[in-house]
Amino acid sequence: MWYVIWTSTGSERKAQELIGQKSRRCFFPTRKINKKIKGEWKTEIRPLFPGYVFADTDDIEELSNFLRQAEGFNKVLDTDKEFYSLYGEDESFIENIYNNEGLFDISRAIVEGDNVRVTAGPLVGMEGSITKIDRHKRIAYLELNMFGQVIRTSVGLEVVV
């Protein structure tokens, strides 16, 4: 079962290495974006959810106890009564990113009036999550219901005319 671990932003890779010792699978999702630097488009890889790492384990109690004793700030996300595990659409979303080597790749879309139709990439079928498109920066802004809250992030999107 996938669980969400909260860590300090910028420490995701270090947390992944630590958590990987006590879980079956562990990763922090990244996103590929294009950025214009000095007139040229460059591809960058950045965290999709800064400060969050995902771990697949059957013994979340053991992992949580391990993290309490470890150096640095890492905490399993929880509600008042239990650790927050991913299920349903959240689990499918994370599983799909994990199966793509943890990378949320750049998607392609066609804008027809006020409608966006994603034609390729991980955003296919997720058009309802897009809140804004910045064509000049080649970015789509998303609102996702994840970990029991609304998460805002941005991903790469090439708009084809």
Side-chain angles (χ1 to χ4, degrees), residues 102-161:
L103 180 66
F104 198 96
D105 211 343
I106 296 172
S107 296
R108 294 191 186 281
I110 297 171
V111 177
E112 301 162 330
D114 289 341
N115 297 324
V116 177
R117 186 169 51 92
V118 180
T119 58
L123 278 178
V124 170
M126 295 181 61
E127 289 86 351
S129 298
I130 299 171
T131 58
K132 179 181 172 186
I133 294 175
D134 187 330
R135 287 183 179 190
H136 298 290
K137 292 185 179 181
R138 300 181 181 179
I139 290 177
Y141 294 90
L142 307 178
E143 272 191 11
L144 304 168
N145 292 313
M146 300 269 314
F147 347 125
Q149 56 188 336
V150 174
I151 301 291
R152 290 174 183 84
T153 191
S154 59
V155 295
L157 180 70
E158 297 285 337
V159 177
V160 181
V161 181

Side-chain angles (χ1 to χ4, degrees), residues 55-120:
D56 181 17
T57 182
D58 287 330
D59 194 346
I60 191 60
E61 291 287 343
E62 178 185 355
L63 178 59
S64 180
N65 290 334
F66 174 73
L67 291 176
R68 275 190 219 114
Q69 297 169 9
E71 188 177 311
F73 177 77
N74 300 296
K75 180 184 183 303
V76 178
L77 212 62
D78 61 3
T79 62
D80 291 337
K81 299 178 183 177
E82 60 187 19
F83 294 110
Y84 190 83
S85 61
L86 299 180
Y87 59 92
E89 289 180 11
D90 290 357
E91 184 178 26
S92 296
F93 180 72
I94 290 302
E95 191 72 43
N96 286 337
I97 295 173
Y98 178 81
N99 290 335
N100 194 34
E101 299 177 3
L103 180 66
F104 198 96
D105 211 343
I106 296 172
S107 296
R108 294 191 186 281
I110 297 171
V111 177
E112 301 162 330
D114 289 341
N115 297 324
V116 177
R117 186 169 51 92
V118 180
T119 58

